[in-house]
Amino acid sequence: MFEKEIDEIYELCKRVHNEVPTASATFNYSFYGMSVFGFKRQEDICLPKDKFKWDLYQNVSFNPFYEKESRESLRIIKAFLLELLIDGRCPLDVESNGVEAPSDNGTDNDSK
């Protein structure tokens, strides 16, 4: 159950680790299920415990009774990891003003 999806998520987590130095994704797998946690800015890990918040915190159960919820969690995880990989080249411009830096990802067709 979910073998293809698990392999795909694991590969995406490895890519985030290797290609997006400003972000982090944690992949945990067991016989009962898996969980994926992530955040977009590694600086956030130094925040006090009451201020820190995961950008992604999803659990997937391998129990067939929770298949619908698990499929939704897998969709959320995949979307988050792909977003990190797409936006990873230009994270928030935190040093200057906290505004998102412009991206040259081919989707902006001369818009202002």
Side-chain angles (χ1 to χ4, degrees):
M1 184 173 180
F2 304 127
E3 291 87 6
K4 179 182 169 227
E5 293 90 345
I6 293 166
D7 290 342
E8 183 178 20
I9 300 256
Y10 179 67
E11 291 300 320
L12 286 171
C13 285
K14 287 191 326 186
R15 284 190 58 203
V16 166
H17 173 75
N18 291 323
E19 298 175 24
V20 188
T22 59
S24 178
T26 302
F27 177 92
N28 296 311
Y29 176 86
S30 74
F31 177 73
Y32 302 104
M34 73 173 204
S35 56
V36 179
F37 314 115
F39 49 90
K40 296 178 181 180
R41 297 176 349 141
Q42 286 191 354
E43 297 86 22
D44 290 351
I45 199 72
C46 297
L47 292 173
K49 190 174 185 177
D50 61 331
K51 303 281 185 196
F52 177 78
K53 182 177 180 269
W54 291 100
D55 294 318
L56 174 73
Y57 190 97
Q58 292 289 315
N59 293 302
V60 176
S61 172
F62 297 152
N63 184 331
F65 183 73
Y66 298 107
E67 182 174 359
K68 181 179 177 185
E69 294 86 352
S70 295
R71 290 212 181 272
E72 179 63 15
S73 290
L74 288 167
R75 186 193 64 74
I76 291 168
I77 293 167
K78 183 177 177 182
F80 178 82
L81 295 172
L82 288 172
E83 178 185 343
L84 286 178
L85 289 167
I86 291 168
D87 295 340
R89 294 170 290 158
C90 53
L92 291 180
D93 185 11
V94 179
E95 290 76 24
S96 62
N97 57 11
V99 177
E100 188 171 345
S103 171
D104 182 25
N105 59 10
T107 59
D108 186 14
N109 297 324
D110 295 281
S111 64
K112 296 187 184 199

